[in-house]
Amino acid sequence: MLLGATQIAVSLLDPVKGHPIQTWEFDGQSLIRIGRGETNDVVVADPLVSRTHAELISDTAGRWRVVSLGRNGTLVDGEMVSDPMPVRHGTILQLGSNGPWVEFSEGRRASRGGETVSSISDLAMPEIDQELLKTEVSKIADCETFLDIQKQAQELRKAREES
């Protein structure tokens, strides 16, 4: 890699805290594919993400645009993408109206190659507030819908045992 070459990063953001939980880095690429399928450059395993959901494309001047290909659409800073839309450092892409968020970043780095960061050891795992987790799980477990589902599951088990 040349010193000072432009480096692009796409980061999957934590849906609660908004900080990156996984980052993919690229150097010298003019096309970056984002989607659920394993052949994409950025693989986001989420059922709301299409196999090939979006593409980031650079023109000869180094300006980047996003093209939405997913059935659930792509939003840029809250606006639905219908035509290729410019993106710049810090742009937030939402993969579907209720899907995950990724952040586009570009910068200059003087060292390290443009390998894709994808191993589990490279992840910055979010910290979990155990008390908040317990409170939320209790709310779910105590709600009427969950109790109804448990009752239906018990009835199904009993019916299977009897047949």
Side-chain angles (χ1 to χ4, degrees), residues 155-163:
E155 290 171 0
L156 284 172
R157 276 189 221 110
K158 185 177 178 181
R160 283 188 193 147
E161 290 171 2
E162 291 173 354
S163 61

PDB file of all heavy atoms in Angstrom, residues 155-163:
ATOM      1  N   GLU A 155     -49.554 -27.140  25.689  1.00  0.00           N
ATOM      2  CA  GLU A 155     -50.664 -27.885  25.104  1.00  0.00           C
ATOM      3  C   GLU A 155     -50.202 -28.710  23.903  1.00  0.00           C
ATOM      4  O   GLU A 155     -50.633 -29.848  23.722  1.00  0.00           O
ATOM      5  CB  GLU A 155     -51.795 -26.932  24.711  1.00  0.00           C
ATOM      6  CG  GLU A 155     -52.510 -26.331  25.910  1.00  0.00           C
ATOM      7  CD  GLU A 155     -53.479 -25.217  25.522  1.00  0.00           C
ATOM      8  OE1 GLU A 155     -53.617 -24.896  24.317  1.00  0.00           O
ATOM      9  OE2 GLU A 155     -54.105 -24.654  26.450  1.00  0.00           O
ATOM     10  N   LEU A 156     -49.323 -28.153  23.072  1.00  0.00           N
ATOM     11  CA  LEU A 156     -48.778 -28.885  21.928  1.00  0.00           C
ATOM     12  C   LEU A 156     -47.948 -30.085  22.378  1.00  0.00           C
ATOM     13  O   LEU A 156     -48.061 -31.178  21.803  1.00  0.00           O
ATOM     14  CB  LEU A 156     -47.930 -27.957  21.047  1.00  0.00           C
ATOM     15  CG  LEU A 156     -48.692 -26.985  20.150  1.00  0.00           C
ATOM     16  CD1 LEU A 156     -47.731 -26.011  19.500  1.00  0.00           C
ATOM     17  CD2 LEU A 156     -49.483 -27.756  19.093  1.00  0.00           C
ATOM     18  N   ARG A 157     -47.102 -29.883  23.402  1.00  0.00           N
ATOM     19  CA  ARG A 157     -46.297 -30.990  23.927  1.00  0.00           C
ATOM     20  C   ARG A 157     -47.213 -32.128  24.442  1.00  0.00           C
ATOM     21  O   ARG A 157     -46.972 -33.290  24.152  1.00  0.00           O
ATOM     22  CB  ARG A 157     -45.387 -30.519  25.061  1.00  0.00           C
ATOM     23  CG  ARG A 157     -44.100 -29.917  24.576  1.00  0.00           C
ATOM     24  CD  ARG A 157     -43.135 -29.673  25.739  1.00  0.00           C
ATOM     25  NE  ARG A 157     -42.500 -28.390  25.499  1.00  0.00           N
ATOM     26  CZ  ARG A 157     -42.698 -27.283  26.196  1.00  0.00           C
ATOM     27  NH1 ARG A 157     -43.485 -27.273  27.236  1.00  0.00           N
ATOM     28  NH2 ARG A 157     -42.088 -26.176  25.873  1.00  0.00           N
ATOM     29  N   LYS A 158     -48.244 -31.723  25.157  1.00  0.00           N
ATOM     30  CA  LYS A 158     -49.170 -32.712  25.711  1.00  0.00           C
ATOM     31  C   LYS A 158     -49.883 -33.461  24.581  1.00  0.00           C
ATOM     32  O   LYS A 158     -50.028 -34.688  24.635  1.00  0.00           O
ATOM     33  CB  LYS A 158     -50.192 -32.017  26.617  1.00  0.00           C
ATOM     34  CG  LYS A 158     -51.126 -32.954  27.323  1.00  0.00           C
ATOM     35  CD  LYS A 158     -52.064 -32.203  28.249  1.00  0.00           C
ATOM     36  CE  LYS A 158     -53.020 -33.151  28.920  1.00  0.00           C
ATOM     37  NZ  LYS A 158     -53.961 -32.458  29.798  1.00  0.00           N
ATOM     38  N   ALA A 159     -50.298 -32.748  23.551  1.00  0.00           N
ATOM     39  CA  ALA A 159     -50.981 -33.382  22.418  1.00  0.00           C
ATOM     40  C   ALA A 159     -50.052 -34.354  21.685  1.00  0.00           C
ATOM     41  O   ALA A 159     -50.461 -35.436  21.258  1.00  0.00           O
ATOM     42  CB  ALA A 159     -51.494 -32.308  21.447  1.00  0.00           C
ATOM     43  N   ARG A 160     -48.769 -33.996  21.549  1.00  0.00           N
ATOM     44  CA  ARG A 160     -47.796 -34.885  20.911  1.00  0.00           C
ATOM     45  C   ARG A 160     -47.592 -36.155  21.725  1.00  0.00           C
ATOM     46  O   ARG A 160     -47.465 -37.240  21.168  1.00  0.00           O
ATOM     47  CB  ARG A 160     -46.459 -34.167  20.722  1.00  0.00           C
ATOM     48  CG  ARG A 160     -46.452 -33.213  19.591  1.00  0.00           C
ATOM     49  CD  ARG A 160     -45.055 -32.683  19.353  1.00  0.00           C
ATOM     50  NE  ARG A 160     -45.116 -31.545  18.480  1.00  0.00           N
ATOM     51  CZ  ARG A 160     -44.312 -30.520  18.522  1.00  0.00           C
ATOM     52  NH1 ARG A 160     -43.331 -30.487  19.419  1.00  0.00           N
ATOM     53  NH2 ARG A 160     -44.440 -29.518  17.691  1.00  0.00           N
ATOM     54  N   GLU A 161     -47.511 -35.980  23.025  1.00  0.00           N
ATOM     55  CA  GLU A 161     -47.301 -37.136  23.914  1.00  0.00           C
ATOM     56  C   GLU A 161     -48.483 -38.091  23.854  1.00  0.00           C
ATOM     57  O   GLU A 161     -48.306 -39.305  23.942  1.00  0.00           O
ATOM     58  CB  GLU A 161     -47.065 -36.663  25.344  1.00  0.00           C
ATOM     59  CG  GLU A 161     -45.742 -35.974  25.545  1.00  0.00           C
ATOM     60  CD  GLU A 161     -45.605 -35.323  26.925  1.00  0.00           C
ATOM     61  OE1 GLU A 161     -46.539 -35.438  27.752  1.00  0.00           O
ATOM     62  OE2 GLU A 161     -44.570 -34.660  27.158  1.00  0.00           O
ATOM     63  N   GLU A 162     -49.687 -37.548  23.710  1.00  0.00           N
ATOM     64  CA  GLU A 162     -50.884 -38.377  23.681  1.00  0.00           C
ATOM     65  C   GLU A 162     -51.047 -39.096  22.337  1.00  0.00           C
ATOM     66  O   GLU A 162     -51.708 -40.112  22.270  1.00  0.00           O
ATOM     67  CB  GLU A 162     -52.118 -37.524  23.965  1.00  0.00           C
ATOM     68  CG  GLU A 162     -52.166 -37.026  25.391  1.00  0.00           C
ATOM     69  CD  GLU A 162     -53.303 -36.054  25.625  1.00  0.00           C
ATOM     70  OE1 GLU A 162     -54.007 -35.671  24.671  1.00  0.00           O
ATOM     71  OE2 GLU A 162     -53.485 -35.649  26.804  1.00  0.00           O
ATOM     72  N   SER A 163     -50.465 -38.573  21.275  1.00  0.00           N
ATOM     73  CA  SER A 163     -50.644 -39.192  19.955  1.00  0.00           C
ATOM     74  C   SER A 163     -49.603 -40.222  19.611  1.00  0.00           C
ATOM     75  O   SER A 163     -48.791 -40.659  20.256  1.00  0.00           O
ATOM     76  CB  SER A 163     -50.647 -38.146  18.851  1.00  0.00           C
ATOM     77  OG  SER A 163     -49.426 -37.442  18.816  1.00  0.00           O
TER      78      SER A 163
END
